[in-house]
Coordinates of all heavy atoms in Angstrom, one line a residue:
V1 N 0.9 -1.2 0.0 CA 0.0 0.0 0.0 C 0.9 1.2 0.0 O 1.8 1.3 0.8 CB -0.9 0.0 1.2 CG1 -1.7 1.3 1.3 CG2 -1.8 -1.1 1.2
Y2 N 0.6 2.2 -0.9 CA 1.4 3.4 -1.0 C 0.5 4.6 -0.9 O -0.4 4.7 -1.7 CB 2.2 3.4 -2.4 CG 3.0 4.7 -2.6 CD1 4.1 4.9 -1.9 CD2 2.5 5.6 -3.5 CE1 4.9 6.1 -2.1 CE2 3.3 6.8 -3.8 CZ 4.4 7.0 -3.1 OH 5.2 8.1 -3.3
L3 N 0.7 5.4 0.2 CA -0.1 6.6 0.3 C 0.9 7.8 0.1 O 1.9 7.9 0.7 CB -0.7 6.7 1.7 CG -1.8 5.7 2.1 CD1 -2.3 6.1 3.5 CD2 -2.9 5.8 1.1
K4 N 0.5 8.7 -0.8 CA 1.3 9.9 -1.0 C 0.3 11.1 -0.8 O -0.7 11.2 -1.5 CB 1.9 10.0 -2.4 CG 2.7 11.2 -2.7 CD 3.4 11.2 -4.0 CE 4.2 12.4 -4.2 NZ 5.4 12.5 -3.4
E5 N 0.7 12.0 0.2 CA 0.0 13.2 0.5 C -1.5 12.8 0.8 O -2.4 13.5 0.2 CB 0.1 14.2 -0.6 CG 1.6 14.7 -0.8 CD 1.8 15.6 -1.9 OE1 0.8 15.9 -2.6 OE2 2.9 16.1 -2.1
S6 N -1.7 11.8 1.6 CA -3.1 11.3 1.9 C -3.2 11.2 3.4 O -2.4 10.5 4.0 CB -3.3 10.0 1.2 OG -4.6 9.5 1.4
D7 N -4.1 11.9 4.0 CA -4.2 12.0 5.4 C -5.5 11.4 5.9 O -6.5 11.3 5.2 CB -4.2 13.5 5.9 CG -3.0 14.3 5.4 OD1 -1.9 13.6 5.3 OD2 -3.0 15.5 5.2
Y8 N -5.5 11.0 7.2 CA -6.7 10.5 8.0 C -7.3 9.3 7.3 O -8.5 9.2 7.1 CB -7.7 11.6 8.1 CG -7.2 12.8 8.9 CD1 -6.8 13.9 8.3 CD2 -7.3 12.7 10.3 CE1 -6.3 15.0 9.1 CE2 -6.8 13.8 11.1 CZ -6.3 14.9 10.5 OH -5.8 16.0 11.2
N9 N -6.4 8.3 7.0 CA -6.9 7.0 6.5 C -6.7 5.9 7.5 O -5.8 6.0 8.4 CB -6.1 6.6 5.2 CG -6.3 7.6 4.1 OD1 -7.3 7.7 3.5 ND2 -5.3 8.4 3.9
T10 N -7.4 4.8 7.4 CA -7.2 3.6 8.2 C -6.8 2.5 7.2 O -7.6 2.3 6.2 CB -8.4 3.1 9.0 OG1 -8.7 4.2 10.0 CG2 -8.1 1.8 9.7
I11 N -5.6 2.0 7.3 CA -5.1 1.0 6.4 C -5.0 -0.3 7.2 O -4.3 -0.4 8.2 CB -3.7 1.3 5.9 CG1 -3.7 2.7 5.3 CG2 -3.1 0.3 5.0 CD1 -2.5 3.5 5.6
S12 N -5.8 -1.3 6.8 CA -5.8 -2.6 7.6 C -5.8 -3.8 6.6 O -6.3 -3.7 5.5 CB -7.0 -2.6 8.5 OG -8.2 -2.6 7.8
G13 N -5.3 -4.9 7.1 CA -5.3 -6.1 6.3 C -4.0 -6.9 6.4 O -3.3 -6.7 7.3
E14 N -3.8 -7.7 5.4 CA -2.6 -8.6 5.3 C -1.7 -8.0 4.3 O -2.1 -7.8 3.1 CB -3.0 -10.0 4.9 CG -4.0 -10.7 5.8 CD -3.3 -11.1 7.1 OE1 -2.1 -11.6 7.1 OE2 -4.0 -11.1 8.2
F15 N -0.5 -7.7 4.6 CA 0.5 -7.1 3.7 C 1.7 -8.0 3.7 O 2.6 -7.8 4.5 CB 0.8 -5.6 4.1 CG -0.4 -4.8 4.3 CD1 -0.9 -4.6 5.6 CD2 -1.0 -4.3 3.3 CE1 -2.0 -3.8 5.8 CE2 -2.2 -3.5 3.4 CZ -2.7 -3.3 4.7
V16 N 1.8 -8.9 2.8 CA 2.8 -10.0 2.8 C 3.5 -10.0 1.4 O 2.8 -10.1 0.4 CB 2.1 -11.4 3.1 CG1 3.2 -12.4 3.0 CG2 1.4 -11.3 4.4
G17 N 4.8 -9.9 1.5 CA 5.6 -10.1 0.3 C 5.4 -9.0 -0.8 O 5.4 -9.4 -2.0
N18 N 5.2 -7.8 -0.5 CA 4.9 -6.8 -1.5 C 5.9 -5.6 -1.5 O 5.5 -4.5 -1.7 CB 3.4 -6.3 -1.5 CG 3.1 -5.5 -0.2 OD1 3.9 -5.4 0.7 ND2 1.9 -5.0 -0.1
G19 N 7.1 -5.8 -1.2 CA 8.1 -4.8 -1.3 C 8.2 -4.0 0.0 O 8.8 -4.4 1.0
R20 N 7.5 -2.9 0.1 CA 7.5 -2.0 1.3 C 6.4 -2.2 2.2 O 6.2 -1.4 3.1 CB 7.7 -0.5 0.9 CG 9.0 -0.2 0.4 CD 9.4 1.2 0.6 NE 10.8 1.5 0.3 CZ 11.2 2.3 -0.7 NH1 10.3 3.0 -1.4 NH2 12.5 2.5 -0.9
G21 N 5.6 -3.2 2.1 CA 4.4 -3.4 3.0 C 3.5 -2.2 3.0 O 2.6 -2.2 2.1
V22 N 3.7 -1.3 3.9 CA 2.9 -0.1 3.9 C 3.8 1.1 3.8 O 4.8 1.2 4.6 CB 2.0 0.0 5.2 CG1 1.3 1.4 5.2 CG2 1.1 -1.1 5.3
Y23 N 3.7 2.0 2.9 CA 4.6 3.1 2.6 C 3.7 4.4 2.8 O 2.8 4.6 2.0 CB 5.2 3.0 1.2 CG 6.2 4.0 0.9 CD1 7.3 3.7 0.1 CD2 6.2 5.3 1.3 CE1 8.3 4.6 -0.3 CE2 7.2 6.2 1.0 CZ 8.2 5.8 0.1 OH 9.2 6.7 -0.2
L24 N 4.1 5.2 3.8 CA 3.4 6.5 4.0 C 4.4 7.6 3.6 O 5.5 7.8 4.1 CB 3.1 6.7 5.5 CG 2.2 5.6 6.1 CD1 2.0 5.9 7.5 CD2 0.9 5.5 5.3
D25 N 4.1 8.4 2.5 CA 4.9 9.4 1.9 C 4.2 10.7 2.0 O 3.2 11.0 1.4 CB 5.2 9.0 0.5 CG 6.1 10.0 -0.2 OD1 6.6 10.9 0.4 OD2 6.3 9.8 -1.4
H26 N 4.7 11.6 2.9 CA 4.1 12.9 3.2 C 2.6 12.7 3.5 O 1.7 13.4 3.0 CB 4.2 13.8 2.0 CG 5.7 14.3 1.8 ND1 6.6 13.5 1.1 CD2 6.3 15.4 2.2 CE1 7.7 14.1 1.1 NE2 7.6 15.2 1.8
S27 N 2.3 11.8 4.4 CA 0.9 11.4 4.7 C 0.8 11.4 6.3 O 1.6 10.7 6.9 CB 0.5 10.1 4.2 OG 0.6 10.1 2.8
D28 N -0.1 12.2 6.8 CA -0.2 12.4 8.2 C -1.5 11.8 8.8 O -2.5 11.7 8.1 CB -0.2 13.9 8.6 CG 1.1 14.6 8.0 OD1 2.1 13.9 8.0 OD2 1.0 15.8 7.7
H29 N -1.5 11.5 10.1 CA -2.7 11.1 10.9 C -3.4 9.9 10.3 O -4.6 9.8 10.3 CB -3.7 12.3 11.0 CG -3.1 13.6 11.5 ND1 -2.9 13.7 12.9 CD2 -2.7 14.7 10.9 CE1 -2.3 14.9 13.0 NE2 -2.2 15.5 11.9
N30 N -2.6 8.9 9.9 CA -3.2 7.6 9.5 C -3.0 6.6 10.5 O -2.2 6.7 11.4 CB -2.4 7.2 8.2 CG -2.7 8.2 7.1 OD1 -3.7 8.3 6.5 ND2 -1.6 8.9 6.7
V31 N -3.8 5.5 10.4 CA -3.8 4.4 11.3 C -3.4 3.1 10.5 O -4.1 2.9 9.4 CB -5.1 4.2 12.1 CG1 -5.0 2.9 12.9 CG2 -5.4 5.4 12.9
V32 N -2.4 2.4 10.9 CA -2.0 1.2 10.2 C -2.3 0.0 11.2 O -1.8 0.1 12.3 CB -0.5 1.2 9.8 CG1 -0.1 -0.1 9.2 CG2 -0.3 2.4 8.9
E33 N -3.0 -1.0 10.7 CA -3.2 -2.2 11.5 C -3.3 -3.4 10.6 O -3.7 -3.4 9.5 CB -4.5 -2.0 12.3 CG -5.7 -1.6 11.5 CD -6.9 -1.2 12.4 OE1 -6.7 -0.7 13.5 OE2 -8.0 -1.4 11.9
G34 N -2.8 -4.5 11.1 CA -2.8 -5.8 10.4 C -1.5 -6.6 10.5 O -0.6 -6.3 11.3
N35 N -1.4 -7.6 9.7 CA -0.2 -8.5 9.7 C 0.7 -8.0 8.5 O 0.2 -8.0 7.4 CB -0.6 -9.9 9.6 CG -1.4 -10.4 10.8 OD1 -1.0 -10.1 11.9 ND2 -2.5 -11.1 10.6
I36 N 1.9 -7.7 8.9 CA 2.8 -7.2 7.9 C 4.1 -8.0 7.9 O 4.8 -7.9 8.9 CB 3.1 -5.7 8.2 CG1 1.8 -4.9 8.2 CG2 4.1 -5.1 7.1 CD1 1.9 -3.5 8.8
S37 N 4.4 -8.8 6.9 CA 5.5 -9.7 7.0 C 6.1 -10.0 5.6 O 5.4 -9.8 4.5 CB 5.2 -11.0 7.6 OG 4.2 -11.7 6.9
D38 N 7.3 -10.4 5.6 CA 8.0 -10.9 4.4 C 8.1 -9.8 3.3 O 8.0 -10.1 2.1 CB 7.4 -12.1 3.8 CG 7.4 -13.3 4.8 OD1 8.5 -13.6 5.3 OD2 6.3 -13.7 5.2
N39 N 8.3 -8.6 3.7 CA 8.6 -7.4 2.8 C 10.0 -6.9 2.9 O 10.7 -7.4 3.8 CB 7.6 -6.3 3.1 CG 6.1 -6.7 3.1 OD1 5.6 -7.0 2.0 ND2 5.5 -6.8 4.2
K40 N 10.4 -6.0 2.1 CA 11.7 -5.4 2.3 C 11.6 -4.5 3.6 O 12.5 -4.6 4.5 CB 12.1 -4.5 1.1 CG 12.5 -5.3 -0.1 CD 13.0 -4.4 -1.2 CE 13.3 -5.3 -2.4 NZ 13.7 -4.5 -3.5
Y41 N 10.6 -3.7 3.7 CA 10.3 -2.9 4.9 C 8.9 -3.3 5.3 O 8.0 -3.4 4.5 CB 10.4 -1.4 4.7 CG 11.7 -0.9 4.3 CD1 12.2 -0.8 3.0 CD2 12.6 -0.6 5.3 CE1 13.4 -0.4 2.7 CE2 13.9 -0.1 5.0 CZ 14.3 0.0 3.7 OH 15.5 0.4 3.4
G42 N 8.6 -3.3 6.6 CA 7.2 -3.6 7.1 C 6.4 -2.3 6.9 O 5.4 -2.3 6.1
V43 N 6.7 -1.3 7.6 CA 6.1 0.0 7.5 C 7.2 1.1 7.2 O 8.1 1.2 8.0 CB 5.3 0.4 8.7 CG1 4.6 1.8 8.6 CG2 4.2 -0.7 9.1
Y44 N 7.1 1.8 6.1 CA 8.1 2.8 5.7 C 7.4 4.1 5.8 O 6.4 4.4 5.1 CB 8.5 2.5 4.3 CG 9.7 3.3 3.8 CD1 11.0 2.6 3.8 CD2 9.6 4.6 3.4 CE1 12.1 3.3 3.3 CE2 10.8 5.3 3.0 CZ 12.0 4.6 2.9 OH 13.1 5.3 2.5
V45 N 7.9 5.0 6.7 CA 7.3 6.3 7.0 C 8.2 7.4 6.6 O 9.3 7.5 7.2 CB 6.9 6.4 8.5 CG1 6.2 7.6 8.8 CG2 6.1 5.2 8.9
D46 N 7.9 8.1 5.5 CA 8.8 9.1 4.9 C 8.1 10.5 5.0 O 7.1 10.7 4.4 CB 9.1 8.8 3.5 CG 10.0 9.7 2.8 OD1 10.5 10.7 3.4 OD2 10.3 9.5 1.6
S47 N 8.7 11.4 5.8 CA 8.2 12.7 6.0 C 6.7 12.8 6.3 O 5.9 13.5 5.7 CB 8.5 13.6 4.7 OG 9.8 13.5 4.4
S48 N 6.3 11.9 7.2 CA 4.9 11.8 7.6 C 4.8 11.8 9.1 O 5.6 11.2 9.8 CB 4.3 10.4 7.1 OG 4.4 10.3 5.7
N49 N 3.8 12.5 9.6 CA 3.7 12.8 11.1 C 2.4 12.3 11.7 O 1.4 12.3 11.0 CB 4.0 14.3 11.3 CG 5.3 14.8 10.8 OD1 6.3 14.2 11.1 ND2 5.3 15.7 9.9
S50 N 2.5 12.0 13.0 CA 1.3 11.7 13.8 C 0.5 10.5 13.2 O -0.7 10.5 13.2 CB 0.4 12.9 13.9 OG 1.1 14.0 14.5
N51 N 1.2 9.5 12.8 CA 0.6 8.2 12.4 C 0.6 7.2 13.5 O 1.5 7.3 14.4 CB 1.3 7.7 11.2 CG 1.1 8.6 10.0 OD1 0.0 8.7 9.4 ND2 2.2 9.3 9.6
T52 N -0.3 6.3 13.5 CA -0.4 5.3 14.6 C -0.3 3.9 14.0 O -1.0 3.6 13.0 CB -1.7 5.4 15.3 OG1 -1.8 6.8 15.8 CG2 -1.8 4.4 16.4
I53 N 0.5 3.0 14.6 CA 0.4 1.6 14.3 C -0.2 0.8 15.5 O 0.3 1.0 16.6 CB 1.9 1.0 14.0 CG1 2.5 1.8 12.8 CG2 1.8 -0.5 13.7 CD1 4.0 1.5 12.7
E54 N -1.2 0.1 15.2 CA -1.9 -0.6 16.3 C -2.4 -1.9 15.9 O -2.6 -2.2 14.7 CB -3.1 0.3 16.9 CG -4.2 0.6 15.9 CD -5.2 1.5 16.4 OE1 -4.9 2.3 17.4 OE2 -6.3 1.5 15.9
D55 N -2.6 -2.8 16.9 CA -3.1 -4.2 16.6 C -2.4 -4.8 15.5 O -3.1 -5.4 14.6 CB -4.6 -4.1 16.4 CG -5.4 -3.6 17.7 OD1 -4.9 -3.9 18.8 OD2 -6.4 -2.9 17.5
S56 N -1.1 -4.8 15.4 CA -0.4 -5.3 14.2 C 0.7 -6.3 14.7 O 1.3 -6.2 15.8 CB 0.4 -4.1 13.5 OG -0.6 -3.2 13.0
T57 N 1.0 -7.2 13.8 CA 2.1 -8.1 13.9 C 3.0 -7.8 12.7 O 2.6 -7.9 11.6 CB 1.6 -9.6 13.8 OG1 0.7 -9.8 14.9 CG2 2.8 -10.5 13.9
I58 N 4.2 -7.3 13.1 CA 5.2 -6.9 12.0 C 6.4 -7.8 12.2 O 7.2 -7.6 13.2 CB 5.5 -5.4 12.1 CG1 4.2 -4.6 12.0 CG2 6.5 -5.0 11.1 CD1 4.4 -3.1 12.3
V59 N 6.6 -8.8 11.3 CA 7.7 -9.8 11.5 C 8.3 -10.1 10.1 O 7.7 -10.0 9.1 CB 7.3 -11.0 12.2 CG1 6.8 -10.8 13.6 CG2 6.1 -11.7 11.4
H60 N 9.5 -10.6 10.1 CA 10.2 -11.2 9.0 C 10.3 -10.3 7.8 O 10.2 -10.7 6.6 CB 9.5 -12.5 8.6 CG 9.4 -13.5 9.6 ND1 10.5 -14.1 10.3 CD2 8.3 -14.0 10.3 CE1 10.0 -14.9 11.2 NE2 8.7 -14.9 11.2
N61 N 10.5 -9.0 8.1 CA 10.8 -8.0 7.0 C 12.3 -7.9 6.8 O 13.0 -7.9 7.8 CB 10.1 -6.7 7.3 CG 8.6 -6.9 7.3 OD1 8.0 -7.1 6.3 ND2 8.0 -6.9 8.5
Y62 N 12.8 -7.8 5.6 CA 14.2 -7.9 5.3 C 15.1 -6.8 6.0 O 16.0 -7.1 6.7 CB 14.5 -7.9 3.8 CG 15.9 -8.2 3.5 CD1 16.4 -9.5 3.5 CD2 16.7 -7.2 3.0 CE1 17.7 -9.8 3.2 CE2 18.0 -7.4 2.7 CZ 18.5 -8.7 2.8 OH 19.8 -9.0 2.4
Y63 N 14.7 -5.6 5.8 CA 15.6 -4.5 6.3 C 15.1 -4.1 7.7 O 15.9 -3.9 8.6 CB 15.6 -3.3 5.4 CG 16.3 -3.5 4.1 CD1 15.6 -3.5 2.9 CD2 17.6 -3.7 4.0 CE1 16.2 -3.8 1.7 CE2 18.3 -4.0 2.8 CZ 17.5 -4.0 1.7 OH 18.2 -4.2 0.5
S64 N 13.8 -3.8 7.9 CA 13.3 -3.4 9.2 C 11.8 -3.5 9.3 O 11.2 -3.6 8.3 CB 13.7 -1.9 9.5 OG 13.1 -1.0 8.6
G65 N 11.3 -3.6 10.5 CA 9.9 -3.7 10.7 C 9.2 -2.3 10.5 O 8.3 -2.2 9.8
V66 N 9.8 -1.3 11.1 CA 9.3 0.1 11.0 C 10.5 0.9 10.7 O 11.5 1.0 11.4 CB 8.6 0.5 12.2 CG1 8.1 2.0 12.0 CG2 7.4 -0.4 12.5
Y67 N 10.5 1.7 9.6 CA 11.5 2.6 9.2 C 11.0 4.0 9.1 O 10.0 4.2 8.4 CB 12.1 2.2 7.8 CG 13.2 3.1 7.4 CD1 14.5 3.0 7.8 CD2 13.0 4.1 6.4 CE1 15.5 3.8 7.4 CE2 14.0 5.0 6.0 CZ 15.2 4.8 6.5 OH 16.2 5.7 6.0
M68 N 11.6 4.9 9.8 CA 11.1 6.3 9.8 C 12.2 7.2 9.3 O 13.3 7.2 9.8 CB 10.6 6.7 11.2 CG 9.4 5.9 11.7 SD 8.9 6.4 13.3 CE 8.2 8.0 13.0
Y69 N 11.8 8.1 8.3 CA 12.8 9.1 7.8 C 12.1 10.4 7.8 O 11.0 10.6 7.1 CB 13.2 8.7 6.4 CG 14.1 9.7 5.8 CD1 15.5 9.7 6.1 CD2 13.6 10.6 4.9 CE1 16.3 10.7 5.5 CE2 14.4 11.6 4.3 CZ 15.8 11.6 4.6 OH 16.6 12.5 4.1
G70 N 12.6 11.4 8.5 CA 12.0 12.8 8.5 C 10.6 12.8 9.0 O 9.8 13.6 8.6
S71 N 10.3 11.9 10.0 CA 9.0 11.8 10.5 C 9.0 11.9 12.0 O 10.1 11.6 12.7 CB 8.4 10.5 10.1 OG 8.4 10.4 8.7
N72 N 7.9 12.3 12.7 CA 7.8 12.2 14.1 C 6.5 11.7 14.6 O 5.5 11.6 13.8 CB 8.2 13.6 14.7 CG 7.2 14.7 14.3 OD1 6.0 14.5 14.4 ND2 7.7 15.8 13.8
N73 N 6.4 11.5 15.9 CA 5.2 11.0 16.5 C 4.8 9.7 16.0 O 3.7 9.4 15.6 CB 4.0 12.0 16.5 CG 4.3 13.3 17.2 OD1 5.4 13.5 17.6 ND2 3.3 14.0 17.5

């Protein structure tokens, strides 16, 4: 799932083997939930603020489970 400049979404489901799992790019105030595994990155957060990860299992991702760049909260 790739969100660019998209705010106030809920992203839920199974994200398995699809590259970056969930990618938030300049997207704020989103909620991510679900099973995220076997990707390069589980959740990739780029210049995105005030997002929440809840009720999730994030395992077996190649580089990292959660990667944040230029983001806070």
Side-chain angles (χ1 to χ4, degrees):
V1 173
Y2 177 71
L3 293 183
K4 182 171 179 75
E5 298 175 357
S6 184
D7 302 332
Y8 296 98
N9 299 286
T10 298
I11 304 144
S12 63
E14 302 284 324
F15 308 99
V16 179
N18 67 355
R20 284 205 172 121
V22 176
Y23 187 146
L24 304 177
D25 183 4
H26 292 84
S27 298
D28 302 330
H29 305 284
N30 295 290
V31 177
V32 176
E33 50 191 30
N35 295 316
I36 304 165
S37 66
D38 302 303
N39 303 291
K40 289 182 182 177
Y41 296 93
V43 180
Y44 192 101
V45 185
D46 183 359
S47 303
S48 301
N49 301 305
S50 302
N51 293 289
T52 303
I53 300 169
E54 61 185 24
D55 299 325
S56 295
T57 301
I58 303 172
V59 295
H60 306 295
N61 295 287
Y62 187 77
Y63 293 113
S64 65
V66 177
Y67 178 82
M68 296 180 73
Y69 177 80
S71 304
N72 63 49
N73 296 13

